[in-house]
Amino acid sequence: AQSVAQPEDQVNVAEGNPLTVKCTYSVSGNPYLFWYVQYPNRGLQFLLKYITGDNLVKGSYGFEAEFNKSQTSFHLKKPSALVSDSALYFCAVRSLMDTGRRALTFGSGTRLQVQP
Amino acid sequence: EAQVTQNPRYLITVTGKKLTVTCSQNMNHEYMSWYRQDPGLGLRQIYYSMNVEVTDKGDVPEGYKVSRKEKRNFPLILESPSPNQTSLYFCASGRGDTDTQYFGPGTRLTVL
């Protein structure tokens, strides 16, 4: 069974400071990893994904994530946080072996609060 | 604009009254899926469809039905809703095996 852990319910950071939202995963075979963001009363918006290749993945709105196979982690990062980045962030995983159901397993989410 | 749409966005109903939540995508995606989101649990897959007339159960299918008669539509049917189906529901679609899944805006359902 696959699983995702987001160990922090909330992350607080001052505007202009770097931010990190943590994610670790467990999956059979090679992982297919995502980050999504959810703003209040909005759906899930895709930020970035990792399939293969460079361990550092760049995505929308200046976000990036680093895949670390030995630590089974996929932490989301941004060099300089904006107040508008405040939202709920979800990490998700599925196995590349799952070509049928393609069910994404999501973490419980991390609320990012960026203070002015 | 490429998008996944859901209707209604908000629904309050009573136990046992059949309801349907519609999902439509305009991206010609073969794959579609329904998830429910509950606090502290993230999103869990209810049903999925790999193409027209091909559907299968996800992790939490009990109490739900789906159909896929057309490629663009994937309605979620609750024949006899119960209070434990109060949740936020998301529809998603994707193209190929490694394609990103794109999500609709969500439907907040309350069953009294």
Side-chain angles (χ1 to χ4, degrees), chain A residues 2 9 32 34 36 38 41-49 51 88 90 94-109, chain B residues 9-10 30-31 33 35 37 40-45 48 50 57-59 88 90 94-106 108:
Chain A
Q2 55 199 34
D9 290 335
Y32 185 22
F34 294 86
Y36 285 87
Q38 186 178 27
N41 300 314
R42 302 280 297 274
L44 289 165
Q45 294 181 30
F46 168 73
L47 274 181
L48 50 81
K49 68 181 178 184
I51 307 176
L88 187 58
F90 289 95
R94 77 165 172 91
S95 170
L96 283 176
M97 295 192 301
D98 174 17
T99 57
R101 200 159 76 92
R102 303 182 213 169
L104 294 174
T105 296
F106 284 82
S108 54
Chain B
R9 295 288 313 279
Y10 302 92
E30 289 86 12
Y31 177 86
S33 181
Y35 291 85
Q37 182 183 18
L41 295 177
L43 281 79
R44 294 175 292 169
Q45 190 186 51
Y48 70 99
M50 293 184 66
K57 298 176 181 178
D59 293 316
L88 180 58
F90 288 102
R95 191 175 54 238
D97 175 40
T98 57
D99 189 33
T100 300
Q101 288 185 33
Y102 297 94
F103 285 78
R108 186 166 293 282

Side-chain angles (χ1 to χ4, degrees), chain A residues 75-97:
Chain A
H75 301 329
L76 181 70
K77 301 181 180 185
K78 189 173 182 182
S80 178
L82 299 172
V83 172
S84 57
D85 292 331
S86 298
L88 187 58
Y89 290 80
F90 289 95
C91 180
V93 70
R94 77 165 172 91
S95 170
L96 283 176
M97 295 192 301

Side-chain angles (χ1 to χ4, degrees), chain A residues 1-3 26-28:
Chain A
Q2 55 199 34
S3 64
S26 173
V27 72
S28 298

Side-chain angles (χ1 to χ4, degrees), chain B residues 72-86:
Chain B
R72 63 183 294 129
N73 295 324
F74 190 44
L76 180 69
I77 303 154
L78 285 72
E79 295 269 0
S80 183
S82 62
N84 65 11
Q85 292 178 298
T86 293

